[in-house]
């Protein structure tokens, strides 16, 4: 009987999903994994900044209370995004030319489109990452070269 191994992208997306289980957001849980040459450099999940009480501790989400749609008014959120947490935990040399994998799920456990927001896109570009692989919300993944975002004039 032949053992089927997942490809690298599937493998690291699954690790990003596992990392997301540490998230402290009531709304959505995201995980990110940065790799270089198929070796994990860093991980991150969305959660409150160091020293700030997170939404799970407080028992509420300001953005949910105010009925703010997904992707808007991030300045009201106490969380740092998974991509940002993964990037700040690695050195510039480790990040340059690396790949970031991002996966997320809704509070009900269903997979969500995990495309990076505009702020995270800028961080990914500044960190000089060469690939972004994210879950598309329907069981698949999308692979992006971050320089393609420059065409859209972020």
């Amino acid at each position: 009987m032949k053992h089927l191994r997942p490809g690298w992208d599937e493998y690291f997306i699954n690790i990003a999903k596992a990392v997301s289980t540490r998230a402290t957001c009531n709304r959505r849980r995201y995980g990110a994994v940065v790799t270089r040459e198929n070796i994990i450099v860093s991980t991150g999940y969305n959660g409150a900044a160091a020293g700030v009480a997170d939404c799970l501790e407080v028992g509420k989400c300001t953005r949910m209370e105010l009925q703010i749609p997904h992707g808007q008014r991030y300045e009201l959120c106490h969380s740092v995004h998974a991509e940002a947490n993964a990037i700040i935990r690695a050195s510039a040399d480790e990040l340059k030319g690396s790949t970031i994998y991002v996966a997320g799920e809704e509070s009900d456990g269903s997979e969500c489109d995990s495309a990076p927001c505009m702020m995270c896109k800028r961080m990914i570009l500044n960190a000089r990452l060469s690939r972004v692989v994210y879950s598309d919300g329907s069981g698949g993944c999308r692979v992006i070269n971050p320089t393609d975002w420059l065409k859209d004039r972020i």
Side-chain angles (χ1 to χ4, degrees):
M1 191 160 90
K2 189 176 182 178
H3 174 72
L4 298 177
R5 295 173 63 198
W8 288 112
D9 288 347
E10 181 184 357
Y11 174 69
F12 289 122
I13 276 290
N14 285 332
I15 292 173
K17 288 176 183 177
V19 170
S20 77
T21 64
R22 291 284 305 152
T24 60
C25 178
N26 288 332
R27 217 174 202 191
R28 289 188 169 154
R29 291 175 295 280
Y30 290 95
V33 176
V34 175
T35 68
R36 187 165 181 180
E37 298 177 8
N38 296 325
I39 297 169
I40 295 174
V41 169
S42 67
T43 65
Y45 52 85
N46 60 318
V52 176
D54 63 58
C55 294
L56 296 179
E57 289 177 80
V58 175
K60 67 177 187 168
C61 170
T62 303
R63 291 176 66 236
M64 282 175 72
E65 282 183 342
L66 297 173
Q67 297 180 1
I68 296 169
H70 174 70
Q72 297 179 18
R73 304 288 315 269
Y74 284 127
E75 74 276 7
L76 297 175
C77 182
H78 299 285
S79 286
V80 177
H81 289 188
E83 300 96 319
N85 275 322
I87 288 169
I88 64 175
R89 287 178 171 79
S91 72
D93 288 339
E94 291 173 313
L95 292 168
K96 188 176 183 182
S98 65
T99 298
I100 190 165
Y101 295 87
V102 186
E105 64 178 33
E106 303 282 352
S107 58
D108 66 6
S110 62
E111 184 180 321
C112 61
D113 186 328
S114 302
C117 71
M118 295 301 255
M119 182 176 58
C120 289
K121 285 179 179 181
R122 290 190 296 266
M123 283 188 270
I124 288 166
L125 284 165
N126 269 4
R128 307 280 194 259
L129 279 73
S130 63
R131 282 179 82 229
V132 177
V133 181
Y134 63 91
S135 56
D136 65 7
S138 60
C141 290
R142 293 213 170 115
V143 180
I144 301 288
N145 179 332
T147 58
D148 290 345
W149 294 328
L150 298 173
K151 298 170 190 168
D152 298 333
R153 302 186 91 194
I154 354 179

